[in-house]
Amino acid sequence: MISLTATVQSAGRGPCALAEAQPAHRSLHLLGGGGISCGIGDFSRLLLETLEQDGAGGHAGLTIEPRDFPLARVWKAIGEADAVVANFPLVAWKRALFGPVAAFALAAIRGRRRLAILHEWQGMHRLRRLVLRPVLVLSNRIVFVSPQVREELAADPFVGFLASRAALMPLPPNLASPDATAGSALRDRLVAARDEGRLVLGHFGSIYPGKQPEAMLDIAAALKARGARPLLVFIGSFIKGFDGIENIFREKVAALGLADDVVVSGYVASAAELYGLFETAEAFAYVLPEGLTARRASVLACVQAGRPVVVTAPARADEFDHHPRFRDLLDSGAIVLAPAGSCPDDYADLILAARHRPTAKPDLDKLAWFDDAAGALRSLILPLPS
């Protein structure tokens, strides 16, 4: 099923007029369907909503469902836009990328601009990179949310040349701290653990190999060895894939003797419940092999809880040059950087030092951050020369 989230004006046009349709929308955004939610999917919709509010012309959304591609409707929707925009990778398209590839191919045939917003590259499974390469080849511009991701694509032996089509966009947080939080059974458990003197250490986001969940377990083991009585809570769920990450994770929990010290929340639907969990943590931590990058929206979500976030230092000095709002958070001390190559004991030192440090919730205006992202995209949504 494909549905338009904005009305396409087509009254009075017959079949012969379809190929000559004049653009009615400045941009057409491909959205994931199937009722599957993910951070990048949420970003896609919020970015479209921000663009729709700019008053400078229409923007539309086109939802592409797996195993259904009504060619005539897609052809018409593309013909009524100046540019086609899609974010990658979306969980909803994990096993059904024919639709986005076909849409970009049709946009090329119709002479429309094609913009691919690429949120990650090397961290994806090699099969996902394989099916994404045709989309990138068909793109006029590839918009990166991080210079590190641009560098990863440039190193690809097959499509590295496409990095020359790069533009940068500042990534806003997908979540905003709500006015009020909500309770849950897990929140009650975490509050009770803190009342008992345990160190509640948080880690938010989907659980997959690129976020080094096993390294987090090593940190918990290091804290436990010091008598800190940690309770490591993963607020999120495992990404189902080909890596067997959940089995590997569970086996390591058992091997390290952490069965009573690690909790996985599973998917949490509401921001109110999420931040109800966040506020029970004394600190958050991330071990990132590539270092902190501007694409880590999960770090932005945690910072809003007013708790210190200990994370691997950026590998690139220019990582946040395009993202001054993220740079301000680093400069304020809300994010504590661990030097690259730090061992679990080093992270434990930083966490123990940060847990009692006074912190405050940053005044983070989510709408302003999305305005920044939309502004970076507006200049790229231009019709191709005739």
Side-chain angles (χ1 to χ4, degrees):
M1 174 183 173
I2 295 184
S3 60
L4 283 171
T5 59
T7 303
V8 176
Q9 300 297 326
S10 58
R13 293 180 182 168
C16 295
L18 183 60
E20 301 173 358
Q22 295 300 310
H25 298 102
R26 298 181 65 205
S27 63
L28 178 70
H29 294 246
L30 307 184
L31 306 174
I36 300 173
S37 178
C38 69
I40 296 175
D42 294 340
F43 167 79
S44 302
R45 289 173 170 80
L46 290 169
L47 179 62
L48 174 57
E49 289 176 9
T50 305
L51 286 166
E52 288 175 329
Q53 294 169 7
D54 67 8
H59 301 272
L62 182 66
T63 300
I64 296 184
E65 300 279 3
R67 298 178 298 279
D68 191 358
F69 192 79
L71 179 60
R73 292 175 62 191
V74 177
W75 176 268
K76 178 181 178 184
I78 290 171
E80 296 182 334
D82 289 320
V84 175
V85 181
N87 285 264
F88 300 98
L90 291 185
V91 173
W93 294 339
K94 190 171 184 179
R95 298 180 184 274
L97 267 173
F98 168 78
V101 173
F104 268 50
L106 293 174
I109 292 171
R110 301 212 66 167
R112 302 308 191 241
R113 187 168 291 276
R114 288 88 61 201
L115 304 178
I117 303 176
L118 194 61
H119 292 249
E120 61 178 304
W121 187 250
Q122 194 58 42
M124 285 189 284
H125 192 280
R126 59 183 178 80
L127 294 179
R128 297 194 79 183
R129 295 197 300 271
L130 177 66
V131 296
L132 270 179
R133 287 185 181 115
V135 175
L136 300 182
V137 170
L138 288 165
S139 301
N140 301 109
R141 297 297 295 272
I142 302 173
V143 185
F144 297 90
V145 297
S146 160
Q148 179 69 34
V149 180
R150 179 185 59 196
E151 187 175 274
E152 291 173 3
L153 183 69
D156 188 286
F158 301 103
V159 292
F161 67 95
L162 297 174
S164 63
R165 304 177 186 178
L168 286 170
M169 166 191 286
L171 184 69
N174 284 339
L175 294 171
S177 180
D179 294 332
T181 60
S184 64
L186 178 55
R187 185 185 188 284
D188 292 343
R189 177 181 174 183
L190 299 179
V191 169
R194 284 193 60 172
D195 290 344
E196 294 169 4
R198 302 193 68 176
L199 190 168
V200 177
L201 178 62
H203 183 92
F204 168 64
S206 299
I207 306 170
Y208 59 94
K211 289 178 74 173
Q212 300 284 291
E214 294 175 82
M216 290 297 303
L217 298 179
D218 290 329
I219 293 171
L223 289 166
K224 186 174 183 177
R226 299 182 184 203
R229 302 179 64 205
L231 181 58
L232 173 58
V233 54
F234 288 84
I235 304 172
S237 56
F238 292 94
I239 289 183
K240 305 299 181 183
F242 306 101
D243 303 290
I245 182 61
E246 184 168 2
N247 290 335
I248 295 170
F249 178 92
R250 302 292 184 191
E251 289 170 2
K252 184 158 187 174
V253 168
L256 292 175
L258 297 174
D260 296 326
D261 307 305
V262 176
V263 179
V264 177
S265 72
Y267 178 68
V268 180
S270 73
E273 187 176 342
L274 273 174
Y275 279 90
L277 298 174
F278 285 0
E279 65 187 13
T280 68
E282 293 178 77
F284 292 86
Y286 291 87
V287 181
L288 304 172
E290 75 281 12
L292 178 63
T293 63
R295 75 180 187 87
R296 290 295 177 185
S298 53
V299 171
L300 295 176
C302 295
V303 165
Q304 294 177 73
R307 303 290 189 268
V309 182
V310 179
V311 60
T312 315
R316 298 176 58 98
D318 66 346
E319 179 62 35
F320 298 96
D321 285 357
H322 73 295
H323 206 328
R325 295 185 193 274
F326 208 138
R327 171 71 69 184
D328 288 345
L329 290 175
L330 287 165
D331 293 342
S332 73
I335 298 172
V336 179
L337 298 178
S342 294
C343 68
D345 281 315
D346 295 331
Y347 280 91
D349 287 339
L350 291 170
I351 291 164
L352 291 171
R355 66 184 295 202
H356 296 305
R357 186 178 52 126
T359 56
K361 293 183 179 180
D363 184 14
L364 193 156
D365 185 345
K366 182 179 175 182
L367 295 179
W369 286 55
F370 265 93
D371 279 340
D372 291 346
L377 192 62
R378 286 186 191 104
S379 63
L380 303 175
I381 303 174
L382 298 171
L384 293 174
S386 56

